[in-house]
Amino acid sequence: MSRFIETQGHLARRFFTSLSTKPPLTQDVAWVNEKLLLSEFELWKRMKTPDQRHSIEVARRFTELHPSFTRDEVAAALLHDVGKIESQLGVIGRVIATIVGPKGTKFRCYHDHEIIGLKLCRDAGSSSETIRLLD
C-alpha cells in the first residue's frame, strides 16, 4: 500500500511540474552538456522542457547522494526518460495514456519509452555501460 501511495505522489508531483513550460536554467543545461556525449546531448535536447527539468532533477539528486558516480551513471540518469520523445504526447495525453494503458500507437510508445529510449541511446552511440544501466 505504501508503494502505491508513493507512486501516486510521484505522479501527482510530475503532473504539476509538467504544466510549466519554463526551460531549465542555463547553468543546468551546461552541466548536462558536460555530462553527456555530443550525440546524447542532441538527443536530450529533443526532450520536452518538463522532461529536461525532471532529468536534471533526478541526475542532480543522484549525484548529491553519490558524488563519485561515473559519467555513464549520470548519463543514464539524465537519459532515463528520453524514449518519451517518440510518443509526442503532451501532459494531458500522458495522463490519459497512464489511465487507459497502451492503446493506440502514441500510448504504446509512451508505455514503451524505456525500450524506445534504449534504442535511441544505442543509435546515438552511448557507451555500453550507459546502455547496460538503462537496460
Side-chain angles (χ1 to χ4, degrees), residues 39-57:
S39 56
E40 291 172 333
F41 184 63
E42 292 302 318
L43 190 58
W44 181 87
K45 288 191 310 185
R46 291 177 50 202
M47 294 169 62
K48 293 179 181 282
T49 56
D51 292 333
Q52 289 176 348
R53 287 193 323 268
H54 169 70
S55 78
I56 292 167
E57 179 185 325

Side-chain angles (χ1 to χ4, degrees), residues 10-80:
H10 169 77
L11 292 175
R13 280 189 304 281
R14 278 297 306 270
F15 173 76
F16 288 111
T17 59
S18 293
L19 295 175
S20 170
T21 58
K22 180 180 170 190
L25 298 173
T26 303
Q27 62 263 32
D28 286 335
V29 174
W31 180 78
V32 171
N33 191 21
E34 290 172 11
K35 301 299 179 187
L36 297 178
L37 303 174
L38 178 60
S39 56
E40 291 172 333
F41 184 63
E42 292 302 318
L43 190 58
W44 181 87
K45 288 191 310 185
R46 291 177 50 202
M47 294 169 62
K48 293 179 181 282
T49 56
D51 292 333
Q52 289 176 348
R53 287 193 323 268
H54 169 70
S55 78
I56 292 167
E57 179 185 325
V58 168
R60 290 277 196 195
R61 191 170 49 227
F62 191 63
T63 57
E64 286 170 11
L65 291 171
H66 302 281
S68 63
F69 279 150
T70 66
R71 190 219 67 88
D72 292 313
E73 290 166 322
V74 176
L78 286 165
L79 297 169
H80 75 278

